[in-house]
Amino acid sequence: MSSDPYDVAIVGGGPAGLSAAIELRARGVAKVALFERGDEAGGIPRHCGHPPFGMREFGRILTGPAYARRLVAAALAAGVTILTKHTVVHTGPGGLLTVASPKGIESIQAARILIATGAREATRAQLLVPGLRPLGVMNTAALQAFVYQEGRVPFRRPLIVGSELVSLSAILTCRSHGIRPIAMVESEPDVQARRAFFALPRVLRVPVMTGAQILAIEGRLRVTSVRLRLADGTETLLACDGVIFSGRFVPEAALAEASALVLDPATGGPEIDQHGRGSDPGIFFAGNMVHPIETAGHCWAEGRRVAGLIAAELADRAKSEPKETPGRRVIAGAGLKYVVPQRLTTEGTGTAPDLNVRALGAAKGHLILSNGSGTILRSQSINAAPQKPIRFSLAGLDLAGESSDLRLRLEPKA
Amino acid sequence: MLAFGNPVDAAIIGAGVVGCAMARRFSLEGASVVVLERAPDILSGASKANSAILHTGFDAPPGSVELQCMQAGYDEYMQIREDFNLPILDTGALVAAWSDSEEARLPELLEQALLNGVADARLLSRAEVVAREPALGAHVRAALLVPREVIIDPWSAPLAYAMQAKALGARFHFNAGLLSARFDGDLWHLQTPMGTLTARSVINAAGIHGDSVERMLIGGSQFEIRPRKGQFVVFDKAAAKHLRTILLPVPTARTKGVVLTRTIFGNLLVGPTAEEQEERERPDVTRPELDMLIAKAVELVPALAQAQVTAVYAGLRPASEEKHYRLHSLPEKGYFCAGGIRSTGLTAALGIARHVHGLWAQDRTAGGKPITAPPILPLPNLAEHLPRDWELPGHDGIVCHCEMVTGREIEAALSSPLPPGDFGGLRRRTRCAMGRCQGFNCLARLNSLTEGRLSVPITPEADR
Ligand SMILES: Cc1cc2nc3c(=O)[nH]c(=O)nc-3n(C[C@H](O)[C@H](O)[C@H](O)COP(=O)(O)OP(=O)(O)OC[C@H]3O[C@@H](n4cnc5c(N)ncnc54)[C@H](O)[C@@H]3O)c2cc1C
Ligand SMILES: Cc1cc2nc3c(=O)[nH]c(=O)nc-3n(C[C@H](O)[C@H](O)[C@H](O)COP(=O)(O)OP(=O)(O)OC[C@H]3O[C@@H](n4cnc5c(N)ncnc54)[C@H](O)[C@@H]3O)c2cc1C
């Protein structure tokens, strides 16, 4: 089976994929198809029944589902072909996609592919959390799908594990559905989002315990309690009827992995250049799968930016065959968890975006960019909470003369 | 209360793989059968958490009943598997030696394999091992290759046995643990929370509770269960490319040791540990052991250093104070025991069932006639390497994206003749929520799809 080739096939109908699709059409790309494995496009925001979404995109604050509906409506109005219940199971070289749907398996051809499959929260298993395996253990996204999409309350007194923005979102979701979280625990010594945000659990009397390790989840059938070792070394048993594992996002990279595209172990997502191009020159990436994790608004803007580059490339007849582009690597040095993009090409299209950086833990001091011979190219002062996205600007830097790898490192304040 | 009706020929206590195989064998031989299971579904004990290897018996004690049962079980599985659409992953196994002392033991293992009738086992040189498995750690020395050790679907197989028994008229009662029992010289009166059942004979297949069920039935027990926990780590499917063959260690006296193997579902599995414990209801996972298993896997296959973990789990082997199976009977009371089926029961179950049925039939003149053309209900395929439902047109969309489970498959499981009693049962019948996201995407939807259809719902009843 096969159909007429598309100009661009987009995999994933979240904010990044939808905004890219809309932008491609706005720039005159004729045949844009978006493949979404779910029953509806919209991505994660579909089950985040809470604000804030949409400030950057629509200039107003929306709930997730309203925001998702708007994006989908805009894509349809722009003439994007949205194919739901379509799972892309493989992308091959030369723009070949293998797609599974209720019609069976199809091969689909596209001049360019954009993968925007998003990110998910780490599971209890991935975190190797000890104990029994009762019912009532889930991620924030699953909780939100329970209450907002299915109208069901899975527990009444859960423990929240994690202290990122999404963990605070979990508190709000709970409180608006008669669920009272008994506590929030964080294994790291510090909360992972900005301290100021933790006024919320304080006001709602949800104790926040940092430096606390889970010794065991208890309960044969359903969760009955969680055994903890607190920061001061004492052990305690918290009675609860559920556990929410929040945050510690990992890219949804199964498709990229199955398609043998090069991944960066630091992000768990694909290795890309500043245009979002991956190891196959015809395949681009955008959204949370390249940088776990950013707001929907950021992913939306990134989808647009990458779409602009794809549109320009398709319009430029000399380049309509995708080509490997030479580039320098950007290496995440001391104190840093990752730097995206992992590669800067010499190709001139578009402006160089900021480097998107995450530190290992809280970052206070200077970020220093140097070249292969150790010459410092730029330094930027920084003070950020552990999971906070950090931007390192490349604006005005002339990298044309740099042929060696670049290294970004964190020099902590003494 | 259930109306249990007329006395049955055989009441089987426990619906693990042994109880399911027993129900099938007795039903095939024409006996009327009831299975009493304490849990909400079949396979709720040791049988839900094993390494899923169908063993040849190459390292079993020569001349033992265990070896006999394993080989009979292996052969029968191979005979019936195509009819039931039960898969194998034809991997073979390598008993790999990683040191001088381990290498020195390979010839004796080969000798035992040959003695046990595993005639195709042979030694491989280091070069041959590396050619077969290039991703192995550089310090591998040599190996014993056992070509016919294979991977199976550990849940579909016993389900197939149970479904055939059910189609032959066997009745399965769940949430119906044996509470007490009385033999009146002729009949057993078996009390469960669901009512009292009368039976002409009782077969103890209660796994981890085999000894206490034996005490309940005949007042004392010939054996004592000593639970032995085995923990596992399941790596992401991307890791499976690093290994084709089951990798077994050179065994010690106490355990078969840590195995690294593919699963039939396309993942890579490392485990089990062997930890003695008192607790019979606590198959918990513990951090040092999980870390040890991951380190072990990386030592065997260094490329696994980058592998993601998909799942962790643990099972309790129903080991007893002695290594051998505890197969015994009191024919005058119609009592038969298949206990202490420690670490080879998945392989041996069909053989154990034949063995116990043989004992049972010895001094029995009554009882039905063997069924000549038994019904065969092929199972839906869950194996990754064979065509799955999502690949066929006409399904209504995918519910679990990590494991590619369709809505049609979920519905088929829920409305099958032996439907799941709890979420675990649904997972074992379909693979749903068993993948890398562990329900991040589909848990809430599965809760809605199963509402009112599981005896133990995903979400507590009161909160609906
Ligand atoms: C619980 C939770 C709460 C959040 N709250 C907020 C908030 O309040 N405000 C905010 O700005 N952000 C919030 N976020 C973050 C926001 O949801 C994400 O930033 C945004 O959705 C990322 O967009 P994306 O397009 O990269 O990916 P996603 O939204 O994850 O979309 C990816 C899409 O790809 C599809 N897909 C994946 N693989 C395939 C395949 N192989 N074939 C076809 N389709 C595929 C998926 O079904 C999905 O629809 C929250 C996230 C979570 C998890
Ligand atoms: C870690 C591990 C790895 C293994 N690997 C392999 C392998 O690779 N290959 C292989 O062949 N074998 C393997 N095994 C062995 C195999 O899993 C077991 O031998 C087998 O599952 C035992 O089955 P069973 O039916 O005897 O026990 P179980 O599966 O435990 O079944 C007993 C059942 O009895 C029920 N029960 C208990 N008390 C009562 C009562 N009072 N009333 C009613 N019901 C009751 C329980 O709920 C349970 O369902 C492994 C085992 C473990 C634990």
Side-chain angles (χ1 to χ4, degrees):
Chain A
M1 260 192 287
S2 77
S3 50
D4 281 354
Y6 291 102
D7 295 313
V8 182
I10 296 172
V11 189
L18 286 166
S19 76
I22 296 165
E23 183 68 11
L24 285 165
R25 290 288 302 137
R27 291 189 179 233
V29 176
K31 291 197 70 185
V32 179
L34 184 148
F35 298 93
E36 166 56 49
R37 66 188 183 180
D39 294 352
E40 283 169 51
I44 294 279
R46 277 188 313 127
H47 46 77
C48 302
H50 57 268
F53 287 91
M55 223 22 232
R56 188 181 329 208
E57 304 86 323
F58 301 113
R60 50 183 292 193
I61 292 180
L62 301 168
T63 65
Y67 168 76
R69 279 194 299 274
R70 276 213 178 198
L71 280 180
V72 172
L76 290 172
V80 176
T81 305
I82 298 182
L83 296 153
T84 56
K85 295 191 183 183
H86 278 61
T87 306
V88 178
V89 291
H90 192 263
T91 60
L96 189 68
L97 299 99
T98 311
V99 182
S101 75
K103 290 173 292 186
I105 296 182
E106 292 170 272
S107 288
I108 283 165
Q109 186 68 47
R112 296 291 184 280
I113 296 172
L114 173 66
I115 301 183
T117 49
R120 58 176 194 269
E121 297 167 279
T123 64
R124 179 238 167 126
Q126 264 177 311
L127 299 169
L128 302 179
V129 173
L132 294 170
R133 301 189 309 125
L135 291 169
V137 177
M138 65 186 70
N139 291 123
T140 317
L143 166 67
Q144 294 189 337
F146 261 97
V147 301
Y148 292 120
Q149 282 190 314
E150 310 287 337
R152 291 291 180 271
V153 173
F155 34 52
R156 291 291 173 187
R157 296 179 55 74
L159 176 69
I160 297 176
V161 183
S163 61
E164 298 174 35
L165 275 179
V166 64
S167 321
L168 298 164
S169 163
I171 297 189
L172 290 175
T173 303
C174 286
R175 293 300 298 240
S176 55
H177 292 81
I179 305 170
R180 303 181 71 90
I182 55 152
M184 181 180 251
V185 297
E186 169 58 56
S187 57
E188 296 295 322
D190 256 316
V191 290
Q192 302 291 293
R194 256 174 57 197
R195 291 241 178 86
F197 295 146
F198 288 80
L200 174 75
R202 225 180 1 262
V203 168
L204 297 175
R205 294 175 196 284
V206 179
V208 178
M209 306 167 175
T210 54
Q213 313 298 324
I214 299 182
L215 298 177
I217 293 177
E218 301 289 352
R220 280 186 51 208
L221 189 59
R222 297 184 193 282
V223 176
T224 55
S225 60
V226 171
R227 215 147 37 82
L228 291 175
R229 184 184 301 117
L230 302 179
D232 65 6
T234 56
E235 289 188 15
T236 183
L237 189 73
L238 296 180
C240 54
D241 63 357
V243 185
I244 303 167
F245 281 91
S246 66
R248 303 288 199 274
F249 281 87
V250 288
E252 184 62 65
L255 170 63
E257 194 145 36
S259 308
L261 298 167
V262 177
L263 301 184
D264 175 4
T267 59
E271 250 185 46
I272 57 167
D273 69 10
Q274 74 270 33
H275 309 305
R277 196 192 304 271
S279 56
D280 176 325
I283 301 182
F284 292 75
F285 295 91
N288 274 336
M289 81 163 315
V290 305
H291 42 55
I293 177 188
E294 297 276 357
T295 62
H298 181 96
C299 295
W300 174 85
E302 187 175 81
R304 279 179 61 157
R305 183 169 58 77
V306 174
L309 293 158
I310 297 175
E313 190 167 298
L314 288 172
D316 180 350
R317 302 198 56 223
K319 278 211 196 130
S320 56
E321 279 301 304
K323 273 193 226 41
E324 303 265 1
T325 48
R328 302 167 294 272
R329 298 182 54 77
V330 190
I331 295 164
L336 299 184
K337 187 169 160 212
Y338 70 70
V339 179
V340 174
Q342 295 84 350
R343 210 153 39 91
L344 289 173
T345 67
T346 44
E347 200 187 18
T349 350
T351 51
D354 296 342
L355 295 180
N356 189 341
V357 185
R358 290 296 181 289
L360 294 165
K364 201 169 193 169
H366 283 85
L367 286 174
I368 295 170
L369 183 73
S370 54
N371 65 12
S373 41
T375 310
I376 294 180
L377 304 175
R378 176 166 286 178
S379 159
Q380 176 183 315
S381 80
I382 177 79
N383 183 2
Q387 296 285 341
K388 171 125 178 85
I390 300 168
R391 315 283 180 230
F392 186 90
S393 169
L394 298 177
L397 261 187
D398 180 19
L399 298 171
E402 299 295 337
S403 55
S404 62
D405 288 348
L406 303 172
R407 181 177 293 271
L408 188 71
R409 68 173 197 276
L410 173 69
E411 194 142 292
K413 197 165 174 175
Chain B
M1 280 296 136
L2 287 170
F4 276 137
N6 293 333
V8 291
D9 293 329
I12 296 165
I13 315 298
V17 63
V18 173
C20 291
M22 208 71 82
R24 169 176 175 270
R25 174 50 50 200
F26 277 70
S27 301
L28 284 172
E29 304 290 347
S32 58
V33 170
V34 163
V35 180
L36 299 178
E37 169 56 56
R38 184 175 68 128
D41 201 352
I42 64 167
L43 312 184
S44 299
S47 305
K48 79 172 168 198
N50 55 47
S51 324
I53 303 174
L54 197 68
H55 293 294
T56 54
F58 78 93
D59 60 347
S64 62
V65 177
E66 178 175 2
L67 175 61
Q68 255 174 45
C69 289
M70 285 171 78
Q71 295 189 333
Y74 186 105
D75 291 345
E76 189 171 351
Y77 182 85
M78 291 300 182
Q79 271 162 31
I80 66 175
R81 71 173 197 89
E82 279 175 15
D83 285 345
F84 288 98
N85 196 31
L86 296 174
I88 60 164
L89 191 61
D90 196 356
T91 54
L94 285 173
V95 184
W98 301 87
S99 67
D100 284 342
S101 59
E102 287 182 358
E103 189 173 353
R105 290 202 46 213
L106 293 182
E108 109 203 22
L109 286 175
L110 174 63
E111 205 175 310
Q112 185 176 358
L114 298 177
L115 190 63
N116 287 354
V118 183
D120 53 352
R122 63 177 203 276
L123 297 179
L124 297 189
S125 68
R126 188 190 132 77
E128 288 170 309
V129 175
V130 173
R132 189 180 168 104
E133 292 297 347
L136 290 190
H139 60 303
V140 68
R141 298 294 183 84
L144 174 69
L145 173 68
V146 189
R148 287 182 303 110
E149 297 263 310
V150 298
I151 299 298
I152 66 170
D153 175 344
W155 305 311
S156 293
L159 179 61
Y161 312 157
M163 298 259 282
Q164 190 177 41
K166 172 125 197 190
L168 287 165
R171 283 179 291 144
F172 285 77
H173 295 292
F174 297 106
N175 306 305
L178 184 67
L179 296 174
S180 66
R182 183 172 58 84
F183 185 62
D184 67 9
D186 189 25
L187 288 178
W188 282 99
H189 301 263
L190 305 169
Q191 202 205 328
T192 81
M194 310 293 270
T196 301
L197 169 83
T198 49
R200 281 183 270 279
S201 58
V202 187
I203 292 140
N204 175 2
I208 206 85
H209 293 290
D211 54 353
S212 50
V213 164
E214 181 155 294
R215 272 194 298 276
M216 226 182 266
L217 288 163
I218 58 172
S221 178
Q222 289 194 24
F223 65 110
E224 188 192 325
I225 291 290
R226 304 258 176 91
R228 191 179 301 159
K229 185 165 70 186
Q231 303 191 43
F232 292 95
V233 173
V234 181
F235 291 108
D236 189 84
K237 295 190 195 316
K241 62 175 177 283
H242 298 304
L243 191 72
R244 287 191 308 137
T245 317
I246 302 165
L247 205 60
L248 305 171
V250 174
T252 66
R254 212 168 66 86
T255 148
K256 281 184 171 304
V258 173
V259 178
L260 186 64
T261 170
R262 287 189 177 206
T263 71
I264 201 106
F265 311 120
N267 296 70
L268 200 68
L269 176 75
V270 64
T273 57
E275 307 163 59
E276 310 269 344
Q277 67 178 43
E278 291 284 311
E279 255 293 342
R280 295 180 178 206
E281 311 290 348
R282 203 174 164 76
D284 58 334
V285 291
T286 53
R287 191 57 196 264
E289 284 68 28
L290 296 177
D291 288 337
M292 179 280 283
L293 288 175
I294 292 171
K296 184 79 200 174
V298 173
E299 183 193 323
L300 300 176
V301 175
L304 293 177
Q306 300 292 344
Q308 296 286 317
V309 170
T310 290
V312 295
Y313 64 93
L316 296 178
R317 302 174 186 84
S320 73
E321 77 283 11
E322 282 168 35
K323 193 169 185 292
H324 59 91
Y325 288 177
R326 310 314 284 265
L327 303 176
H328 48 255
S329 58
L330 277 182
E332 66 280 13
K333 284 194 162 183
Y335 171 73
F336 299 84
C337 178
I341 315 295
R342 197 182 67 256
S343 54
T344 52
L346 179 64
T347 306
L350 296 171
I352 295 169
R354 278 181 185 272
H355 179 90
V356 172
H357 180 265
L359 296 177
W360 182 86
Q362 259 169 22
D363 30 34
R364 209 158 292 263
T365 43
K369 280 211 237 28
I371 309 295
T372 44
I376 289 170
L377 308 163
L379 264 74
N381 170 58
L382 301 182
E384 187 80 353
H385 64 293
L386 298 169
R388 300 264 316 278
D389 192 51
W390 64 267
E391 297 171 61
L392 308 169
H395 64 77
D396 46 356
I398 291 167
V399 173
C400 164
H401 296 290
C402 299
E403 296 300 311
M404 303 289 274
V405 183
T406 65
R408 181 166 68 184
E409 284 174 291
I410 306 272
E411 183 50 40
L414 289 171
S415 53
S416 79
L418 203 59
D422 58 10
F423 187 41
L426 181 67
R427 288 161 51 115
R428 292 190 288 276
R429 280 170 183 77
T430 63
R431 282 171 57 173
C432 69
M434 289 214 173
R436 31 177 95 80
C437 93
Q438 296 277 300
F440 172 92
N441 289 303
C442 66
L443 186 63
R445 176 87 185 282
L446 288 170
N447 180 62
S448 299
L449 291 174
T450 55
E451 232 165 53
R453 305 181 72 180
L454 300 175
S455 76
V456 177
I458 297 175
T459 304
E461 214 69 72
D463 280 334
R464 291 223 176 130

